[in-house]
Amino acid sequence: MSSRPSRGAARLAAILDALPDALLLVNANGTVVNANSIALDVMESPGTGLVGRGVLDLLPQFDFKLIPGSMRRPGDDDGGRREPTRMIARRTDGSEFPVEVTSANLDGRDAYREPHPGYTGDELLMLVVRDLSGTVDTEAELARSQRQTEMILRAAAEGVVGTDTEGRVVLVNPAAAQILGYRATDLGNRELHGLIQHSRADGSPFPFEESPLADTLRSGRKHRVRGQVLWNKAGQPVSVDLTTSPVRDGDQLVGAVMTFTDRRPYDALAARHAQLVAVLGDALRGPLDELRGELATLAADDGGQLWPEANQLLHHLAAGYSRMTTLVDNVLGFQRLDAGAEKLKKKNVLIDGVVAAGVDGAVELIGPGRAQFAVHAPTIEAEVDADRIATALAHLIADVAGVDATGKTPQGSGYMDSTVVVAAAQRGDVVRIEVRGPYDGGNPVHEPIVRGIVTAHGGVLQTVEVPGAPGGAYVLELPLGAGAGTVTLPEPPPEAPKAPETENTENTEAVTGAGDGAERGSGRRRARRGVDAFLEDEAAAAGNGADGGDALA
């Protein structure tokens, strides 16, 4: 540490140089008179000297009253080693870094065997300077992580309670306290099971040894239980979905975490759902069906006793009741699917047949003659629940057609052309179906049903805007699943010529590209203009080709 030291001083210098922290010796003038190698490495910059500098230049926040000699005031502490103090150190080039400084007074008479230019008195101040650069960063990161954890726990809607290995509470988030009706401080260090899980739902005792928490603390296994009962501060049962997970420090089990979700809002929603299904299925569906049958019987007029106007009115009323019955059936089917009472029945089907069934279903919802249809549906095989997807398409078509269950269209919206476009195409491993009509969609009756069915298939429903085209448009994408995608069917045998049709085709529905067979051939009629011509017009407006698949948004 000094020039030309004795053997003992050399040994001491070697020891001090081996220290992990910087060591400074300061004389009574507040000048650094010696430093070990760590101090030189940490605080001395090339071209600048550390020894000979004032200690307050290196440690601006250091208490100058601790400097020995004439700078210490009478009555100041003359004690030895002092507690570590954090402050900012300054290198000889002026850069700063955090340190922890420990100081102690030394008798300097034996510090130098020979005269030293920096030594002017008997007493020295020894400073041990520990570089905290990495430590401060780590502490800041830990503090930031702790704050983030606390914010997450405070924001979580689920109750979170942590326990030690004895099942005593060591952590409670606000949601847990609110669900249980306690203050967080009321639960701290108390045995959790006896407070909130002492009894079963029927009031019978629930031993701690049989609880999921006890097993987690014994074995380290994780448990997830639905419909568990906890007891709040008022002694009332609270239905929850509960999870217990072990907490480990390395391989050692040190506690457990119990998380739970209040099921009361879901139970109330389930009760309202059950009431809705009961109202629709029992109180409404039956009377509607009965009224429809009676009106149909009257409209048949087997005795020919009704005026034509009365007969027409009865047919109109019967059709209206039929539309409402179909709507109720579709809503009930969706509710059963959404509640899990029914499952999807997927199988490989051709999408053109599903589209044709969807168009027929839309006619049942909005009534015949209310819209025209331009359909392009190639033979694409996909694994879907055909009935559910047909129902979804029927509601999408009814949505953009703008016709409600009474057969009326909104005033002052849409445009005169009542054509609804339904086009399907394969895009990679999905089938993409576009439904475009003269009115904006978003009806709260139709869209939730469609979105629920599509989501259950793992698909996506989107609303799109076509530049220059009024009205609304939906695009739904469904995974092909085990389906083969686009397939080519054999040509059907030629049919014998039929007599010319005499029906009025002014407002009939056109279902084109529905495939062969009775299932996909129903509803095939002539339209006022060809489907290909319509799709070419739409493709030209959108800047795409004339192919029906390219007409998709």
Side-chain angles (χ1 to χ4, degrees):
M1 288 191 49
S2 63
S3 61
R4 301 171 60 187
S6 65
R7 179 177 299 179
R11 186 179 295 113
L12 178 60
I15 293 173
L16 296 178
D17 286 342
L19 291 176
D21 299 321
L23 181 67
L24 303 177
L25 292 180
V26 180
N27 65 11
N29 293 328
T31 302
V32 176
V33 296
N34 215 333
N36 67 349
S37 59
I38 296 297
L40 297 176
D41 292 340
V42 172
M43 305 184 73
E44 186 178 71
S45 300
T48 59
L50 178 63
V51 176
R53 286 183 177 265
V55 67
L56 296 181
D57 291 337
L58 302 172
L59 302 170
Q61 299 172 333
F62 185 74
D63 186 359
F64 69 92
K65 293 185 294 184
L66 300 178
I67 298 174
S70 59
M71 299 187 68
R72 183 183 299 148
R73 297 177 181 178
D76 287 343
D77 181 22
D78 291 332
R81 182 178 180 276
R82 295 166 184 86
E83 292 297 325
T85 304
R86 291 194 176 189
M87 61 185 67
I88 297 297
R90 183 182 296 150
R91 298 184 181 90
T92 56
D93 62 358
S95 59
E96 296 180 342
F97 61 103
V99 295
E100 183 180 73
V101 179
T102 304
S103 62
N105 294 101
L106 297 177
D107 186 350
R109 286 176 292 182
D110 295 329
Y112 299 97
R113 303 291 295 184
E114 298 181 5
H116 190 278
Y119 175 62
T120 59
D122 292 337
E123 192 174 8
L124 295 174
L125 179 66
M126 182 181 69
L127 301 178
V128 178
V129 182
R130 175 167 295 177
D131 187 355
L132 298 181
S133 299
T135 303
V136 171
D137 292 342
T138 302
E139 291 176 349
E141 182 62 30
L142 289 174
R144 183 164 52 251
S145 177
Q146 183 176 0
R147 288 194 301 271
Q148 185 177 18
T149 301
E150 291 176 354
M151 288 188 293
I152 292 173
L153 288 175
R154 288 182 179 276
E158 297 80 9
V160 181
V161 179
T163 72
D164 59 16
T165 54
E166 301 298 324
R168 295 186 178 276
V169 178
V170 296
L171 178 148
V172 182
N173 78 329
Q178 189 274 329
I179 292 172
L180 298 173
Y182 286 92
R183 292 177 180 269
T185 54
D186 295 339
L187 297 173
N189 203 35
R190 298 182 67 179
E191 194 271 318
L192 181 64
H193 183 84
L195 285 176
I196 67 171
Q197 210 174 6
H198 47 76
S199 303
R200 295 184 171 89
D202 58 3
S204 61
F206 186 26
F208 173 68
E209 293 75 16
E210 300 178 14
S211 67
L213 178 62
D215 185 74
T216 297
L217 291 173
R218 282 194 307 265
S219 64
R221 286 189 290 263
K222 183 176 181 180
H223 293 274
R224 182 177 287 108
V225 185
R226 292 180 59 87
Q228 191 78 356
V229 171
L230 302 180
W231 297 84
N232 63 15
K233 187 176 181 179
Q236 298 173 336
V238 179
S239 178
V240 299
D241 292 336
L242 180 146
T243 300
T244 59
S245 304
V247 178
R248 291 186 171 89
D249 184 2
D251 295 333
Q252 184 178 2
L253 184 66
V254 296
V257 171
M258 175 189 290
T259 61
F260 49 89
T261 303
D262 190 351
R263 285 196 55 85
R264 287 175 293 185
Y266 302 102
D267 293 341
L269 182 62
R272 290 195 294 270
H273 175 272
Q275 181 190 28
L276 173 63
V277 171
V279 169
L280 291 177
D282 300 332
L284 184 61
R285 176 63 173 78
L288 280 176
D289 202 28
E290 185 176 348
L291 284 172
R292 184 186 63 172
E294 292 177 355
L295 288 172
T297 301
L298 291 174
D301 190 20
D302 295 333
Q305 300 176 358
L306 297 176
W307 289 94
E309 293 81 0
N311 187 272
Q312 183 179 6
L313 177 60
L314 288 174
H315 277 290
H316 176 75
L317 291 174
Y321 277 106
S322 177
R323 290 193 295 272
M324 287 188 286
T325 303
T326 300
L327 178 60
V328 169
D329 288 342
N330 290 349
V331 172
L332 283 173
F334 167 68
Q335 293 292 333
R336 288 190 288 266
L337 176 66
D338 187 51
E342 293 183 359
K343 303 296 183 182
L344 294 178
K345 299 178 181 178
K346 292 185 178 182
K347 61 180 180 179
N348 290 346
V349 296
L350 295 180
I351 293 299
D352 58 345
V354 177
V355 169
V359 172
D360 290 341
V363 173
E364 293 181 12
L365 286 173
I366 65 178
R370 300 295 182 180
Q372 299 180 107
F373 302 98
V375 181
H376 180 76
T379 50
I380 304 170
E381 186 183 67
E383 184 185 20
V384 298
D385 186 327
D387 292 337
R388 299 283 188 185
I389 296 300
T391 298
L393 289 175
H395 281 274
L396 278 188
I397 294 171
D399 197 11
V400 298
V403 182
D404 61 20
T406 66
K408 297 178 181 179
T409 56
Q411 300 296 321
S413 61
Y415 63 104
M416 296 305 295
D417 192 345
S418 62
T419 304
V420 176
V421 178
V422 184
Q426 182 181 348
R427 292 290 184 266
D429 59 353
V430 302
V431 57
R432 181 180 171 97
I433 305 175
E434 176 183 329
V435 178
R436 188 189 311 167
Y439 293 91
D440 293 331
N443 188 294
V445 173
H446 301 299
E447 187 177 358
I449 296 176
V450 181
R451 196 171 297 278
I453 293 174
V454 172
T455 301
H457 279 79
V460 177
L461 176 67
Q462 297 176 334
T463 57
V464 297
E465 294 183 3
V466 181
Y474 286 99
V475 171
L476 63 87
E477 294 183 347
L478 301 169
L480 290 176
T486 303
V487 297
T488 302
L489 298 179
E491 291 291 335
E495 298 180 359
K498 296 181 179 180
E501 297 183 6
T502 59
E503 62 174 309
N504 183 5
T505 61
E506 182 65 21
N507 285 313
T508 56
E509 301 79 35
V511 181
T512 305
D516 56 349
E519 179 181 355
R520 288 172 279 127
S522 60
R524 188 188 301 273
R525 297 185 178 93
R526 297 174 59 186
R528 286 189 297 136
R529 58 172 174 165
V531 175
D532 293 336
F534 184 88
L535 290 176
E536 288 172 3
D537 293 344
E538 292 295 321
N544 297 323
D547 177 56
D550 293 336
L552 291 173

